[in-house]
Amino acid sequence: MTWTAPEPPPLPDGPLVGAERPILEAFLADQRHELLKACAGLTGEQLATAAQPPSNLTLLGLVRHLAKVERIWFRLRVDAQDVGPLYDPDLGKDHDFEALDPAQAPDALATFATECRLADDAAARYPLDHTIEVHGEPMSLRVVYVHMVHEYARHLGHADLLRQALLA
């Protein structure tokens, strides 16, 4: 039997009023959920297929990239954890989008889920006003959340188009 990406369980609706942090957390959770929905029901081979030539962008590459981004922003930058890069930096900045093995799709989705959970754990230790330095400038955890929602929003448009092309 061929493996397919599972359908993510439904998310409860996030708050639309009230404290800022639960709203930011809910919006990020929704973005993560939308990525998983874009992958749901597709095989590893489909997830690793570049469906819009000449672009080499794939859903599997997006999953790997966003797992890397979660690690960088929350674990490395916000929480200053001593964890290495998710992918070998000697293989290039965009290795998360390259050298995709369809057989590794289940592991990539599991890594994504783990990085999201660890990112949430790291962020929970700090107030929204906690600042980090990014390119010599201060940045609050609040802005990190907004940046992450923006990062997902950019890539979810890609994910929708890739899925549509794969299923056409």
Side-chain angles (χ1 to χ4, degrees):
M1 184 168 195
T2 302
W3 176 89
T4 59
E7 185 75 34
L11 278 183
D13 290 337
L16 299 177
V17 296
E20 181 179 19
R21 185 175 204 123
I23 292 170
L24 290 169
E25 291 170 344
F27 269 85
L28 181 54
D30 183 64
Q31 297 291 288
R32 293 166 173 165
H33 189 258
E34 290 299 319
L35 178 64
L36 295 175
K37 283 175 41 180
C39 296
L42 300 178
T43 66
E45 193 67 43
Q46 288 172 307
L47 293 172
T49 298
Q52 292 293 321
S55 172
N56 68 346
L57 193 61
T58 66
L59 285 165
L60 183 55
L62 288 173
V63 167
R64 288 167 42 103
H65 173 70
L66 289 163
K68 176 183 85 173
V69 170
E70 293 274 356
R71 175 181 281 215
I72 290 170
W73 279 99
F74 289 107
R75 296 178 66 201
L76 291 170
R77 290 184 173 159
V78 171
D79 201 30
Q81 292 180 16
D82 186 19
V83 293
L86 197 51
Y87 304 106
D88 186 347
D90 291 338
L91 297 176
K93 177 185 172 205
D94 291 328
H95 184 64
D96 37 325
F97 288 112
E98 300 165 352
L100 303 178
D101 179 355
Q104 296 301 312
D107 290 339
L109 285 167
T111 297
F112 173 76
T114 298
E115 288 299 328
C116 290
R117 181 182 51 76
L118 293 171
D120 289 343
D121 293 347
R125 291 190 267 282
Y126 301 94
L128 290 177
D129 289 331
H130 172 73
T131 59
I132 59 174
E133 187 175 304
V134 179
H135 307 297
E137 298 292 327
M139 180 183 283
S140 70
L141 176 57
R142 175 182 292 102
V143 173
V144 171
Y145 272 107
V146 172
H147 169 75
M148 289 299 294
V149 169
H150 173 259
E151 179 82 10
Y152 275 92
R154 287 180 55 231
H155 291 309
L156 288 174
H158 302 137
D160 287 343
L161 289 172
L162 290 167
R163 182 179 177 87
Q164 288 174 18
L166 288 167
L167 297 177

